[in-house]
């Protein structure tokens, strides 16, 4: 662990930017059709319960990284193995987000540019930032968070002013009942993007006010969830269910529809700015967790030395995990849940149960 501290406000900002990240980019929860917004809301509520589990583990071991307290809970061998699995997952998740960025860049502006080049430029900036430490990442978040929200509010006002919104596209609500929406929640929105933020258990030991950790995590998730609900309501209201589901990047299509007084149009660049900011911080947090986790697990005194080799591995992984964007989305929807369920839902409560029993035994002694 580096000797650094971040404030509760900085943690809040990083979590919001992380959870918005690529979730605003893709057609999230569209298997629920016009009830996609409800699936996102239910996913957010479910994730709040899991965040309490993650927080309680931090409460038992406030000064330790998960890679350390997993070994205390499960023993040296099993704890090291489990910690290594989580590091591999963070690396895989970072490569998926990087792939999202590359596909967006190629679709939007540079169709003839190789995917490797676009991804490589971003990962180099991220590596440079990570080498500066978590405080620099957090301060950068403070600087760009306000700018991102100015873009978001401006976009919302322009969409309203364009008269594009048709709320009848959201009807009928729960046309097929609640069960299909719950299925989407349990297979998609509970994990992406909300409980992906389990990576912040690697950041919590740097918090300078541990007592504020729980409130900060819950409030950040609540704000992110509300933003995503509003975004999906706008997408479906403007584009309709069918077009939103077919679009690779629904929010981009919505922004491209803006036209005010035959003068203000083609505002795609605002969309790009906001997406690049969110994706940058999501990958930065994931790669930082990989770097400090690897350094801690293998007793490497200078974590920054790992930034370049691990960053290059993530770069190459982002180009080979799928042959095209459709396959990439299919893996995220159909295969990733089999990874998410044990890592996000099953293992953390088991770790908490064992930690609880061990701490109670110590108190009795």
């Amino acid at each position: 662990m580096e000797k650094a501290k971040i404030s509760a406000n900085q943690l809040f900002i990083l979590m919001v930017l992380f959870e918005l990240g690529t979730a605003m980019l893709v057609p999230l929860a569209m298997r629920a059709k016009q009830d996609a917004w409800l699936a996102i809301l239910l996913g957010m509520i479910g994730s709040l319960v899991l965040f309490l589990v993650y927080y309680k583990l931090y409460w038992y071991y406030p000064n330790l990284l998960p890679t350390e307290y997993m070994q205390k809970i499960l023993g040296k061998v099993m704890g090291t193995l489990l910690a290594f699995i989580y590091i591999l997952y963070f690396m895989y998740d970072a490569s998926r987000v990087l792939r999202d960025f590359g596909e967006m860049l190629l679709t939007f502006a540079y169709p003839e540019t190789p995917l490797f080049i676009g991804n490589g430029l971003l990962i180099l900036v991220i590596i440079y930032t990570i080498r500066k430490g978590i405080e620099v990442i957090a301060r950068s978040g403070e600087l760009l968070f306000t700018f991102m929200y100015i873009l978001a509010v401006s976009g919302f006002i322009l969409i309203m002013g364009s008269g594009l919104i048709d709320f009848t596209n959201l009807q009928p609500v729960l046309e097929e009942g609640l069960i299909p929406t719950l299925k989407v929640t349990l297979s998609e929105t509970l994990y992406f993007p909300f409980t992906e933020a389990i990576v912040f258990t690697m950041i919590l030991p740097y918090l300078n006010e541990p007592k504020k950790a729980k409130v900060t995590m819950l409030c950040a998730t609540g704000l992110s969830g509300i933003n995503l609900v509003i975004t999906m309501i706008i997408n479906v209201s403007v584009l309709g269910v069918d077009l939103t589901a077919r679009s690779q990047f629904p929010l981009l299509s919505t922004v491209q529809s803006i036209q005010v007084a035959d003068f203000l149009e083609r505002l795609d660049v605002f969309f790009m700015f906001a997406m690049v900011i969110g994706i940058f911080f999501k990958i930065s947090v994931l790669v930082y967790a990989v770097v400090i986790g690897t350094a801690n697990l293998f007793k490497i005194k200078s974590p920054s030395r790992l930034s370049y080799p691990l960053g290059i591995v993530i770069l190459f992984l982002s180009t080979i995990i799928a042959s095209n964007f459709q396959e990439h989305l299919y893996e995220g929807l159909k295969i990733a849940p089999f990874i998410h369920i044990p890592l996000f839902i099953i293992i953390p409560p088991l770790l908490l149960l064992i930690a609880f029993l061990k701490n109670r035994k110590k108190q009795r002694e």
Side-chain angles (χ1 to χ4, degrees):
M1 270 181 66
E2 63 171 309
K3 294 181 180 179
K5 290 293 181 182
I6 63 173
S7 68
N9 288 337
Q10 290 172 331
L11 176 65
F12 174 86
I13 288 170
L14 285 179
M15 282 196 69
V16 172
L17 292 173
F18 179 93
E19 292 181 349
L20 292 180
T22 49
M24 296 180 68
L25 183 64
V26 298
L28 183 62
M30 281 313 298
R31 286 185 297 147
K33 300 180 181 178
Q34 65 269 23
D35 296 319
W37 65 272
L38 182 58
I40 295 170
L41 184 63
L42 293 174
M44 179 200 74
I45 294 170
S47 70
L48 295 178
V49 178
L50 290 170
F51 277 128
L52 293 176
V53 175
Y54 307 156
Y55 166 75
K56 196 65 177 180
L57 282 168
Y58 164 68
W59 184 80
Y60 277 125
Y61 307 98
N63 299 314
L64 299 181
L65 293 171
T67 48
E68 294 174 298
Y69 67 62
M70 285 178 186
Q71 296 177 50
K72 284 186 171 293
I73 294 172
L74 297 177
K76 185 72 174 179
V77 176
M78 288 297 295
T80 300
L81 178 61
L82 182 60
F84 187 64
I85 290 172
Y86 272 96
I87 290 172
L88 289 179
Y89 170 75
F90 295 149
M91 186 179 295
Y92 170 71
D93 199 17
S95 70
R96 286 193 60 83
V97 180
L98 187 59
R99 179 62 177 265
D100 288 333
F101 167 80
E103 294 287 355
M104 177 190 71
L105 198 64
L106 267 59
T107 300
F108 171 73
Y110 305 105
E112 303 300 324
T113 303
L115 179 68
F116 183 85
I117 299 300
N119 290 0
L121 292 173
L122 180 62
I123 200 68
L124 284 176
V125 177
I126 288 170
I127 288 171
Y128 174 79
T129 307
I130 287 170
R131 288 177 63 85
K132 297 298 181 180
I134 188 62
E135 289 185 353
V136 171
I137 297 173
R139 288 171 184 168
S140 301
E142 285 183 302
L143 181 65
L144 294 172
F145 180 76
T146 303
F147 180 64
M148 184 176 179
Y149 261 84
I150 289 173
L151 292 178
V153 172
S154 300
F156 178 75
I157 292 173
L158 289 172
I159 290 171
M160 295 292 290
S162 298
L164 297 170
I165 294 180
D166 181 4
F167 287 116
T168 59
N169 289 330
L170 296 169
Q171 298 173 347
V173 178
L174 296 177
E175 180 181 13
E176 299 176 7
L178 185 60
I179 299 301
T181 304
L182 285 175
K183 287 181 178 179
V184 175
T185 299
L186 295 174
S187 63
E188 184 178 345
T189 57
L190 180 61
Y191 318 111
F192 174 77
F194 299 113
T195 49
E196 272 186 316
I198 192 174
V199 69
F200 279 90
T201 57
M202 300 290 290
I203 308 295
L204 288 178
Y206 297 109
L207 189 62
N208 62 6
E209 299 173 283
K211 293 181 179 180
K212 294 184 178 180
K214 179 168 68 174
V215 173
T216 301
M217 293 172 71
L218 297 182
C219 288
T221 301
L223 178 61
S224 303
I226 291 170
N227 287 334
L228 291 174
V229 166
I230 293 172
T231 300
M232 187 51 63
I233 288 174
I234 289 174
N235 286 339
V236 174
S237 298
V238 172
L239 303 176
V241 173
D242 292 337
L243 185 55
T244 304
R246 290 199 307 268
S247 176
Q248 285 186 335
F249 309 116
L251 186 57
L252 174 59
S253 300
T254 299
V255 172
Q256 288 175 334
S257 302
I258 295 175
Q259 186 175 9
V260 179
D262 295 321
F263 167 70
L264 202 56
E265 57 184 11
R266 298 296 298 171
L267 301 175
D268 313 27
V269 66
F270 289 112
F271 167 83
M272 282 294 293
F273 277 144
M275 290 301 97
V276 169
I277 291 171
I279 289 171
F280 170 80
F281 283 102
K282 186 165 187 175
I283 300 175
S284 295
V285 170
L286 286 165
V287 178
Y288 182 79
V290 171
V291 168
I292 61 169
T294 303
N296 179 263
L297 202 59
F298 296 101
K299 311 301 180 186
I300 298 172
K301 294 183 179 179
S302 180
S304 61
R305 293 190 303 174
L306 297 173
S307 302
Y308 281 107
L310 291 175
I312 297 302
V313 170
I314 290 170
L315 171 60
F316 278 98
L317 188 59
S318 72
T319 62
I320 64 174
I321 53 175
S323 58
N324 53 58
F325 191 55
Q326 283 66 38
E327 183 181 333
H328 174 66
L329 290 176
Y330 176 82
E331 290 178 0
L333 291 172
K334 301 295 184 180
I335 299 174
F338 293 102
I339 303 172
H340 296 156
I341 290 172
L343 293 184
F344 297 168
I345 294 181
I346 297 175
I347 293 175
L350 288 177
L351 288 175
L352 179 60
L353 177 61
I354 297 171
F356 170 75
L357 294 175
K358 283 191 171 185
N359 278 271
R360 190 172 69 170
K361 184 178 179 181
K362 285 182 180 179
Q363 291 175 353
R364 288 179 177 177
E365 292 174 356

